[in-house]
Amino acid sequence: MKIIVDAFGGDNAPLEIIKGCAEAVAEFDDLSIILTGDEGKILKVANDNNISLDRIEIHHCTEVITMDDHADAVLKSKKDSSMAVGFNLLKNGEGDAFVSAGNSGALCMGATLAVKRIKGIKRPAFSPVMPSANGFFMLVDGGANVDCRPEMLVQFAVMGSIYMNRVMKIDNPRVGLANVGTEDHKGTELYQTTYQLLKESNLNFVGNVEGRDIPQGICDVVVCDGFTGNLILKTYEGVAMVVMNEIKSLFTGSLKGKLSASLVLGDIKKLKKKLDHNTYGGAPVLGASKPVFKAHGSAKAVTVKNAIRLSRDYVLADAIGEISKVINSED
């Protein structure tokens, strides 16, 4: 299997991207990687940091899409960027999946207009997998589509359910609709209509879920519009950082704290890993006709490796084929 990776996407590119790719190919014997980006810079960084490029080839290009670029730069002004070239390689069948930690808007536009949508899918959606009290859940949409219609939210639910079943190995995933109350009449017209459609679907719909219940693992797929989803995502990550910083201050602020920390250090490390978004690598762009994976913008090597691993699992599970079959059987 060949995964295409944007070497210059994200805050820590290209070093952490290259390191993550090297770790991924070392872990999976069936994997090879195409790195897109400035070949000279990639080779220098790899050489300076003693990183093996075994089973990693470089596809040279000269431009980089920054976080400040408009989303359409991937299609217009920066066609020779590491992201645009990655999309073209994927579109032309030169790789099985594409991973980037770069500009989210550009990534979504490239997935939609360069790689194209699955037939019947109205809008692709960012779909991060996030930790919960008893495991993890998927948030769909995490920010790609601010304005949504009920039928779009239903498709998000279908795609999320298939991904969680096929890739994350959850039997009969529970689907919940993010809302301001659990009663079926709560929320805007969008959410009231979506509730009825999900209730009538073949999905394992468990009803409306409130924000405070989401971290408890009340469902496996949380469905919402991208505006709501991005607020949930960023608040979730922010609270996790605050909690870990407060715990760190508690155990380092005094001799008593330091002595206590020595007794529970292993448990603290487990908690940190549980709350760390790097564990799941980022978010698949569900609805694209080929696997596209958005790694976190602040991705370190472990995040990149996990994003590549999940992209590999995405391909092996043929989740896109199943989504296409289910969506088009409903027409």
Side-chain angles (χ1 to χ4, degrees):
M1 184 184 301
K2 188 170 287 187
I3 307 293
I4 305 158
V5 180
D6 176 1
F8 286 84
D11 302 333
N12 301 306
L15 175 58
E16 296 297 327
I17 308 298
I18 300 169
K19 285 169 63 177
C21 289
E23 291 176 11
V25 295
E27 183 170 333
F28 300 105
D29 293 336
D30 63 343
L31 195 66
S32 63
I33 285 173
I34 301 176
L35 273 173
T36 60
D38 187 302
E39 183 173 16
K41 292 180 180 178
I42 292 171
L43 291 174
K44 183 178 187 307
V45 169
N47 183 63
D48 290 348
N49 293 276
N50 197 29
I51 302 171
S52 171
L53 294 179
D54 182 42
R55 302 208 317 272
I56 299 175
E57 62 179 282
I58 301 169
H59 194 103
H60 178 69
C61 46
T62 60
E63 297 177 311
V64 175
I65 291 179
T66 70
M67 295 302 183
D68 295 324
D69 282 323
H70 191 275
D72 65 7
V74 72
L75 302 174
K76 297 180 179 179
S77 61
K78 291 189 173 180
K79 293 182 179 181
D80 197 42
S81 64
S82 53
M83 185 185 290
V85 169
F87 274 126
N88 284 330
L89 291 172
L90 182 65
K91 179 178 69 174
N92 295 331
E94 297 182 53
D96 299 292
F98 177 51
V99 176
S100 175
N103 185 308
S104 298
L107 192 77
C108 189
M109 184 165 286
T112 304
L113 299 179
V115 176
K116 307 294 186 185
R117 293 168 289 170
I118 297 170
K119 179 184 176 184
I121 291 294
K122 299 182 184 303
R123 296 279 183 84
F126 281 130
S127 311
V129 175
M130 302 166 64
S132 69
N134 55 7
F136 48 83
F137 67 94
M138 172 171 272
L139 179 66
V140 197
D141 177 10
N145 304 283
V146 172
D147 296 311
C148 293
R149 300 185 301 276
E151 59 269 25
M152 291 168 58
L153 296 189
V154 173
Q155 288 191 345
F156 295 167
V158 170
M159 293 191 294
S161 183
I162 290 172
Y163 184 93
M164 293 301 276
N165 174 246
R166 291 226 166 187
V167 180
M168 306 304 288
K169 308 302 181 184
I170 294 177
D171 292 330
N172 199 23
R174 299 161 299 162
V175 176
L177 182 64
N179 212 325
V180 295
T182 58
E183 299 87 352
D184 58 6
H185 64 273
K186 285 296 181 75
T188 62
E189 183 179 350
L190 167 65
Y191 282 85
Q192 291 175 22
T193 303
T194 302
Y195 181 98
Q196 293 302 321
L197 292 174
L198 288 173
K199 188 176 180 180
E200 295 165 4
S201 73
N202 294 322
L203 298 169
N204 183 14
F205 180 53
V206 296
N208 288 327
V209 294
E210 294 182 292
R212 64 186 176 189
D213 295 324
I214 291 172
Q216 299 299 326
I218 194 170
C219 58
D220 305 301
V221 180
V222 176
V223 177
C224 56
D225 63 89
F227 183 89
T228 303
N230 198 255
L231 285 173
I232 293 172
L233 173 63
K234 298 296 173 59
T235 302
Y236 205 95
E237 291 178 347
V239 169
M241 286 189 286
V242 168
V243 169
M244 291 311 302
N245 286 336
E246 288 296 317
I247 291 174
K248 182 178 179 180
S249 296
L250 180 67
F251 284 117
T252 59
S254 66
L255 178 60
K256 180 177 67 175
K258 291 176 182 178
L259 290 173
S260 300
S262 66
L263 298 175
V264 294
L265 184 60
D267 295 320
I268 294 172
K269 287 182 176 179
K270 288 179 183 178
L271 175 62
K272 182 178 180 181
K273 184 177 180 180
K274 184 174 184 178
L275 295 178
D276 189 0
H277 61 263
N278 289 308
T279 302
Y280 302 105
V285 183
L286 294 181
S289 64
K290 295 186 178 183
V292 176
F293 208 92
K294 171 68 173 73
H296 289 284
S298 58
K300 294 294 187 72
V302 64
T303 322
V304 175
K305 184 193 77 169
N306 286 332
I308 292 170
R309 172 179 58 81
L310 286 171
S311 296
R312 172 182 174 272
D313 293 345
Y314 195 7
V315 175
L316 292 174
D318 190 28
I320 289 175
E322 181 66 14
I323 289 170
S324 178
K325 183 171 70 174
V326 171
I327 291 296
N328 290 296
S329 69
E330 296 173 353
D331 291 343

